[in-house]
Amino acid sequence: MHIRFRRVFLGLVLVASVGKAQTTFEPFEERPPVTTNGQVVAWNAAIGGVTSAIRAALAGHSIQKSFLVGVAGGAVHGWGKVLGTRSAFPAAIGGLMVSSLGTSVVVNAGRDSSPLSEVFVPVGIARVRIAPRAVKPVRLSLDIRATAALAHALGRGGLVLDWSHTARTGTPVFRTQLRRIVVDGDAVQGVAISTVVLVSDFAEDYAATLRHEMVHVQQYLFVQEAIGKPLEDYLRARLDRKGRVPRWLDFGLGAFVVYGTDELIGRRDGPYRRYIESEAEALKR
């Protein structure tokens, strides 16, 4: 049974690692769904409310209460994205903290807990989880997908760690050295793989590209925390009741589920991809 559990969770890690990276492409030929900061906040409020309500419905909690609190959390998450794309130094890392706080509220609403019963703080490839009333009020979790991306970037030639922007954004940022970034045969200006960002040396505007990719980092964190982690917790309860797999490991299943479903719907131009790309484009300006 021990071997079986190990194989199951190894499979989950491999599956999660093939989730599509989020990239900086050319602007949309048609009008994108998100073009202003107000629309960013409104869309995120709606997504937060719906996400919380669905989880509450599945667990048998109050849908109306969860929806309303989720709307508030989603709005905070969206506002954090807007704040994070400002040019002043504390804005990027501050926006990441605010958007993560909003995500935490959405997650708590879905499980019928108080809005701040547990919050997470992203720190590079890890997350600090703070639950004041828990037996262990502070816990650390490691994102397997981000860890694999970071290891790959550090071990690959032609990439250099941008220490300055890493410190300013709170997430690992790499820059290519006279090399282009190619995704699915297309040369792109930047790419975000979970919480690791790569910016091309040939990017037309380094700062704007970085802002674009940081929005994708925040989008990934929302998907993983609000969808991926609950799914992982469910699978753990069913497949690993003896707790052989460390609880501090996050496998990034949210990205696989959401991005994979979106690709099945629209291939490279699914509705979710169009939304997240338009949001990142709107906020990078």
Side-chain angles (χ1 to χ4, degrees):
M1 295 296 287
H2 179 60
I3 294 177
R4 178 189 172 192
F5 288 137
R6 288 172 55 189
R7 287 177 177 174
V8 168
F9 278 92
L10 178 59
L12 294 180
V13 174
L14 294 176
V15 164
S17 69
V18 297
K20 285 292 183 181
Q22 300 309 303
T23 57
T24 301
F25 288 99
E26 295 300 319
F28 290 94
E29 295 180 1
E30 301 177 3
R31 180 176 175 83
V34 180
T35 58
T36 67
N37 291 348
Q39 289 177 334
V40 168
V41 175
W43 272 99
N44 280 273
I47 292 172
V50 171
T51 302
S52 296
I54 290 175
R55 185 177 180 187
L58 292 174
H61 302 312
S62 170
I63 297 176
Q64 182 178 5
K65 175 185 175 182
S66 296
F67 175 78
L68 293 176
V69 177
V71 165
V76 173
H77 175 70
W79 183 72
K81 291 177 180 177
V82 174
L83 174 64
T85 53
R86 304 282 177 85
S87 58
F89 160 62
I93 193 167
L96 184 63
M97 297 301 107
V98 172
S99 70
S100 298
L101 177 63
T103 299
S104 298
V105 173
V106 171
V107 173
N108 292 329
R111 60 189 179 195
D112 198 29
S113 301
S114 62
L116 300 179
S117 60
E118 179 177 326
V119 299
F120 76 94
V121 178
V123 184
I125 60 174
R127 292 190 263 292
V128 178
R129 303 187 182 280
I130 304 171
R133 297 183 180 180
V135 176
K136 292 183 178 180
V138 180
R139 295 177 291 113
L140 184 71
S141 64
L142 187 67
D143 190 308
I144 291 295
R145 192 164 180 255
T147 302
L150 178 61
H152 180 73
L154 289 171
R156 181 166 184 170
L159 291 174
V160 59
L161 184 63
D162 185 337
W163 289 100
S164 175
H165 285 98
T166 294
R168 293 187 178 195
T169 61
T171 195
V173 178
F174 290 84
R175 183 169 188 164
T176 66
Q177 293 182 307
L178 298 177
R179 293 191 180 186
R180 299 186 183 278
I181 300 175
V182 179
V183 177
D184 293 336
D186 296 321
V188 298
Q189 299 183 52
V191 60
I193 307 172
S194 60
T195 59
V196 178
V197 174
L198 279 63
V199 180
S200 172
D201 204 25
F202 297 93
E204 297 176 2
D205 186 331
Y206 186 93
T209 300
L210 179 56
R211 289 194 296 269
H212 180 112
E213 300 307 331
M214 282 304 300
V215 174
H216 286 321
V217 168
Q218 294 165 319
Q219 292 164 343
Y220 169 80
L221 287 170
F222 181 90
V223 166
Q224 174 54 23
E225 291 296 315
I227 299 175
K229 192 172 185 303
L231 176 59
E232 292 173 17
D233 291 342
Y234 174 83
L235 292 174
R236 287 177 190 273
R238 297 298 184 274
L239 301 176
D240 188 27
R241 296 181 179 179
K242 294 185 178 181
R244 294 190 175 101
V245 178
R247 300 289 172 175
W248 48 267
L249 290 179
D250 294 334
F251 294 92
L253 285 187
F256 168 73
V257 172
V258 175
Y259 303 148
T261 302
D262 187 62
E263 186 153 322
L264 288 175
I265 295 173
R267 296 188 178 180
R268 291 190 59 193
D269 196 31
Y272 183 69
R273 178 190 169 273
R274 286 189 58 80
Y275 165 73
I276 62 176
E277 287 296 334
S278 67
E279 181 179 75
E281 279 293 309
L283 291 175
K284 84 172 187 179
R285 303 187 183 101

